[in-house]
Structure formats: C-alpha cells, structure tokens
Amino acid sequence: MGTSTQQDSLWQAVLGEIELSVSRGNYVTWFKNTCLLKQADDVAVIGVPNIFIKQQLELKYSDLVAKVLQKNGITVQQVKFKISSEAGSNRPTDDVVVLSQPASSNPQVAAKQSGQSTKPGANSLAHSYRQGLNERYTFDNFVVGGSNELAFAACQAVVSQPGTKYNPLFLYGGVGIGKTHLLQAIGNTLAARNPKARVVYISTEQFVQEFVDALRFRKTADFASYYRTADALIIDDVQFIAGKDKMQEEFFHTFNALHQANKQIIISSDKPPKDIPTLEDRLRSRFAGGMSIDMQIPDYETRCAIVQTKAQDHEVVLGQDIVEYLAHNIQTNIRELEGALNQLLAFCEMRGLDPTLAVASSLLSANKTRPKHLSAKQIIERTAKHFQIPLEDIVGPKRDKDIVVPRQIAMYILRNELNLSFPKIAKELGRKDHTTAIHSVDKIEKESKLDPNLRMAISEIKENLYA
Ligand code: ADP
Ligand code: MG
C-alpha cells in the first residue's frame, strides 16, 4: 500500500513532536527518513530506510512513537518498523547537508510550507544556529481568539523588540492550548529576522537531561557557556525543573547572565511561577519579574476556526456541521482536536470517502472508550491526591474549607466525566443529601468560569486521570 497524503501529514505532525522530545542528533539519525506505511487494526507500520535504523527504533523508540501517535489521535497496540523503499526517499546527499540545517523536517516539507528554496546548502549557514526549532509553528498559522490574544500580542511585542520589553516572557496554562506553538513561532521569527542570532529552543526535560549528562561527563563549563551565550533562550515546560536543585542553581545563573545582557528569555509552564512547587524563591521572583500571561483553552468559535484552518492546510474543505461537531466535542485540548481531525481525514482518505458528520461521530465515539475504564473511586482518589488531603477526609465528615472545596471539585468531575446522578455522587462522597451534590457541581461550574486556578486544578486532575 502506498502512503497517502493524509497519512503523510499525520506522520509529519508526529515527527514534529518527536523532534521536540529527542536530541537533534537522534532525530536526524533515526527519525528523519521514516514514513507511516500503514495504520489499521491496532497496528501502525513505520517505514524505515535500513536494518540498522529499524533495530534502533525497535529497541529504543517504539514506546515514544506509540505515545506521540496517541497524542495525535491514533491509538495502536503495536508499532512495527519495516524496511521500505518509500522511507528515505529524500535525496541521499541530504544527510550531509542536514547536519547544518534545522533538524526540523524533511527539506521538501519545510520548503512547501515556507516557499523557500531547497537547494542543498542554500540555507545551511543561516540556519546553523536554529537549535530545536520546528518551522511548522508560525504566527501565521496560529489562530487568535479571546483566550490567547493577549499571549499572542505579547509574543509579537517580544519579536519586534527582543530583550527590551517583557523579559522574561512567561506563558502559562493547561496542556495542548498553544504554548509550544507560540514559543516556537517566536523562535522561528527571531531566527528569520536575524539569521546570525543564536536562538535556542529547548524543552525543560531535555535541558535537564543535558545538564545531567554534563555533570556526568564533567562538561558543565561547556553546558554553561553554550546557554549563557545564546541571543534568545526559549525554555518550554519549565515546571519540570521543580525539585531539581542543582539544575535550578545552574539555570539561575544562566538566567542572570542573559538577562543582564538584555537577551530575550521566553518561558512556558503549566502553572504560574508562584504555583510551581519546590521552585527556589530567587528563580520564582526572576520568572515573575517580566510579563506573565495566563493562557486558556480557546473558546468554541476559536476552536471552530482552528479546525477550519487545519483542514485547509490539508487542502480539505470540511462541512460546517463537522467543524462544529469537533469543536463542540473536544473542549479541553487543541492537540486532541487536531488529532481527531487528522484521524478523520486519514480514515476518509484511505477509504476514499468524503468526510461526513456520521464518520466523524463514529470515530470520535470509538475514541471515547476512555471514561469507561474510569471509576468514581479513581476520580475521588486523584482529586484527594491533587490537593494532598487524605482520602478519609474527602469522603468523611470534615467541613474545613480545604477539604470542602476538593470534595466539591470531585463531585463536579464525577458529574462531568462519568455523568453520574446526583444521589450517586453524594453517596460516593459520603453525603446523605443529594442537594449538596447539586449545589457543589453548580458552584464549581460557575466558579471555574471566573477562576483560572480552579480551571487549572480541574484540568490537571483530568489529565492525570487519563494519562
Ligand atoms: P501546549 O504547548 O500548550 O501543550 P501546543 O502548542 O503543543 O500546546 O499545541 C498543541 C497543538 O495545537 C499544536 O499542534 C498547535 O499547533 C495547535 N494549536 C494550539 N493552539 C492553536 C491556535 N490558536 N491556532 C492554531 N493551532 C493551535
Ligand atoms: Mg507544550
């Protein structure tokens, strides 16, 4: 079976994410010339150029591939790697050139997106400092709406005058709402405007890993000078620095060195600086010292616009009913929304169907098996754990505020995720009167509209439940 264009773009999305989570060398060596050959019956078959790559991927990366496929809406039990002539169809000489090019993508794709020349070497110098950037993410393909316009404006301000205003720029909010997209767009724009600038994007997980390696191999001086001499440093998901004391110490010095030299620093996190646990106070105050912006999940209209835009990127025109259906049913995470769209388009393309509401809804409900495995007990336990209160207390008689609120949140989640009846909800939490459950659910529903911290707590609990 040949690869279809939808499968290609699904795989490009998967690669885009893998690229951000492995080192550049590993990405170029193992993933660059792969393709998705087939995806059906719980198995995904990835085409690879040779046996060496096949073995390495099998050994080290099948879990990662499965995880990222799932993030993009494709759940499989097994990932297989197969040597295929379709893989590695890029010019063989690319490998040589690519080492000095962005690790970002296959040059043909990058060219299609940016309309640039792909002559080998043409961009290699200009791009030689673009560590970690993926050209897929731009300001142009970011849809702006009420929930993200402030963040968008701040990012634009940063690229127009890097290092002067808003330093650091700190974006925070839940999973899959566009933080990485904006960070990458800043990086891409800065690098394009000033090709000589060293723009460094790195995920905190990778940053920590590099630091650990530097310690192990006694290369901390190299590590330090590499990051302290960047012209712009973009650190994604900084919450993962929590609890890592030595790393925080190192980062503190990096931060100061850059800040004093008026180099732009951009940081993202799933929560505001003050809520990142075990973050040293001095870092906390540095993070909060510039501009912090709370990003939220795009509202319904924006989600519709995002679905439409992404469908257009695939050169597909979707019926408004399908757009609305997707935007209505996937409310918490744009990555999932995109995953559902990709899945729909791939499904239809492979079977030669036009996307219809019926197909969309059958695919989506097939995916909605997750809540079935979820029990009321798990929700209550997870909520108690999130607020660090004992399980006995959340289902017990105590009426202190720090017990009552988590209890109300548990009720709200039970209602929303399992659709339990109010008497059943009351019973699960050890209450006799079901009106308590009605009031609690209603209260949390209203308050969560106004209180970003509450929304964040709820979405974190849910993320953990489904993780
Ligand atoms: P986060 O870093 O907040 O977890 P991402 O930036 O990775 O989320 O976004 C998840 C996916 O959703 C990405 O593919 C991104 O391109 C897309 N996305 C999120 N918000 C928007 C938006 N406003 N317009 C277009 N795409 C978006
Ligand atoms: Mg992210």
Side-chain angles (χ1 to χ4, degrees):
M1 193 185 98
T3 51
S4 68
T5 49
Q6 300 305 347
Q7 257 176 308
D8 280 352
S9 52
L10 169 71
W11 188 241
Q12 286 309 322
V14 169
L15 286 180
E17 249 179 76
I18 288 179
E19 194 187 338
L20 298 181
S21 58
V22 303
S23 78
R24 176 176 163 180
N26 279 335
Y27 177 80
V28 174
T29 315
W30 309 123
F31 288 99
K32 204 189 129 264
N33 291 320
T34 58
C35 62
L36 179 59
L37 289 176
K38 190 176 150 199
Q39 172 254 316
D41 310 326
D42 276 354
V43 182
V45 184
I46 315 300
V48 301
N50 61 47
I51 178 78
F52 182 53
I53 292 183
K54 176 174 185 296
Q55 284 170 346
Q56 284 300 312
L57 287 173
E58 277 167 352
L59 212 61
K60 288 198 191 146
Y61 293 108
S62 17
D63 288 351
L64 174 69
V65 172
K67 203 173 96 189
V68 179
L69 274 169
Q70 190 173 17
K71 270 193 183 172
N72 283 277
I74 306 286
T75 306
V76 292
Q77 299 298 328
Q78 209 189 352
V79 176
K80 286 190 182 161
F81 299 95
K82 192 175 158 211
I83 300 167
S84 150
S85 57
E86 282 173 61
S89 58
N90 300 328
R91 290 181 309 275
T93 53
D94 275 358
D95 283 332
V96 184
V97 178
V98 154
L99 292 174
S100 59
Q101 271 195 342
S104 66
S105 46
N106 140 0
Q108 282 137 18
V109 172
K112 226 193 284 168
Q113 285 168 348
S114 61
Q116 287 168 355
S117 135
T118 48
K119 257 188 252 127
N123 299 327
S124 57
L125 252 191
H127 282 159
S128 56
Y129 291 123
R130 305 180 37 134
Q131 166 168 327
L133 291 176
N134 181 333
E135 293 180 346
R136 195 163 71 92
Y137 299 107
T138 63
F139 285 126
D140 284 343
N141 64 16
F142 189 82
V143 179
V144 184
S147 61
N148 57 28
E149 63 191 354
L150 196 59
F152 185 82
C155 292
Q156 299 254 304
V158 159
V159 294
S160 70
Q161 285 177 300
T164 52
K165 265 186 186 179
Y166 307 157
N167 202 13
L169 175 63
F170 190 103
L171 300 183
Y172 64 92
V175 177
I177 59 171
K179 300 185 299 297
T180 297
H181 189 132
L182 282 179
L183 259 51
Q184 286 269 334
I186 294 179
N188 283 323
T189 313
L190 288 176
R193 290 201 183 163
N194 184 359
K196 291 209 188 81
R198 272 197 49 210
V199 179
V200 177
Y201 167 96
I202 189 153
S203 72
T204 301
E205 279 163 309
Q206 204 184 326
F207 193 59
V208 170
Q209 187 55 49
E210 281 188 15
F211 181 62
V212 170
D213 289 345
L215 283 176
R216 176 157 12 118
F217 300 115
R218 300 180 198 285
K219 295 261 191 217
T220 44
D222 292 354
F223 178 91
S225 74
Y226 182 83
Y227 287 100
R228 289 179 201 178
T229 54
D231 291 306
L233 179 62
I234 307 174
I235 299 271
D236 206 353
D237 287 322
V238 85
Q239 72 273 8
F240 292 123
I241 208 171
K244 306 194 168 70
D245 295 347
K246 270 203 167 147
M247 182 77 239
Q248 291 192 20
E249 158 105 32
E250 172 64 34
F251 188 48
F252 179 73
H253 295 300
T254 305
F255 188 103
N256 287 345
L258 293 173
H259 199 260
Q260 272 158 22
N262 293 326
K263 305 295 187 186
Q264 181 67 45
I265 302 161
I266 306 120
I267 304 172
S268 84
S269 165
D270 66 348
K271 35 181 118 47
K274 69 175 171 45
D275 294 341
I276 302 176
T278 66
L279 183 67
E280 279 184 47
D281 281 341
R282 56 183 186 168
L283 265 185
R284 203 186 299 277
S285 73
R286 287 292 186 281
F287 288 175
M291 173 81 162
S292 300
I293 294 181
D294 170 12
M295 282 180 74
Q296 274 146 38
I297 175 77
D299 56 28
Y300 172 71
E301 282 76 21
T302 313
R303 292 200 302 278
C304 287
I306 291 175
V307 174
Q308 247 150 1
T309 314
K310 305 257 167 187
Q312 271 161 22
D313 289 347
H314 295 277
E315 290 166 7
V316 172
V317 181
L318 278 190
Q320 188 59 21
D321 54 343
I322 305 177
V323 172
E324 287 177 3
Y325 177 82
L326 292 174
H328 182 77
N329 279 283
I330 303 175
Q331 308 191 338
T332 56
N333 185 326
I334 302 301
R335 186 178 294 122
E336 266 179 42
L337 185 60
E338 222 181 322
L341 173 69
N342 284 338
Q343 198 180 4
L344 171 68
L345 297 182
F347 183 92
C348 291
E349 161 111 8
M350 280 184 260
R351 289 166 183 74
L353 303 169
D354 277 338
T356 59
L357 189 56
V359 177
S361 74
S362 71
L363 281 178
L364 214 59
S365 51
N367 273 349
K368 276 201 175 157
T369 47
R370 297 189 311 182
K372 272 194 209 147
H373 306 298
L374 204 62
S375 67
K377 188 159 169 271
Q378 282 170 306
I379 292 179
I380 297 168
E381 278 173 2
R382 186 31 77 183
T383 311
K385 192 161 170 208
H386 180 91
F387 291 101
Q388 301 178 342
I389 57 174
L391 187 61
E392 307 87 270
D393 283 353
I394 200 170
V395 297
K398 282 197 187 154
R399 305 197 46 102
D400 319 21
K401 186 160 184 259
D402 52 353
I403 307 282
V404 170
V405 174
R407 188 182 290 145
Q408 290 170 334
I409 291 175
M411 291 183 173
Y412 171 83
I413 298 177
L414 285 173
R415 180 73 184 171
N416 275 280
E417 296 304 302
L418 300 186
N419 211 6
L420 294 189
S421 70
F422 289 115
K424 180 102 176 60
I425 292 174
K427 190 158 164 262
E428 289 289 351
L429 283 142
R431 311 289 107 184
K432 292 200 185 70
D433 185 356
H434 78 278
T435 55
T436 319
I438 299 178
H439 289 313
S440 301
V441 172
D442 189 45
K443 173 170 172 276
I444 299 299
E445 175 114 46
K446 287 201 182 102
E447 281 180 5
S448 66
K449 295 215 169 75
L450 303 170
D451 179 355
N453 288 327
L454 178 57
R455 270 200 304 277
M456 193 119 67
I458 295 169
S459 74
E460 267 177 31
I461 295 168
K462 283 205 238 165
E463 281 293 329
N464 277 316
L465 281 167
Y466 291 128

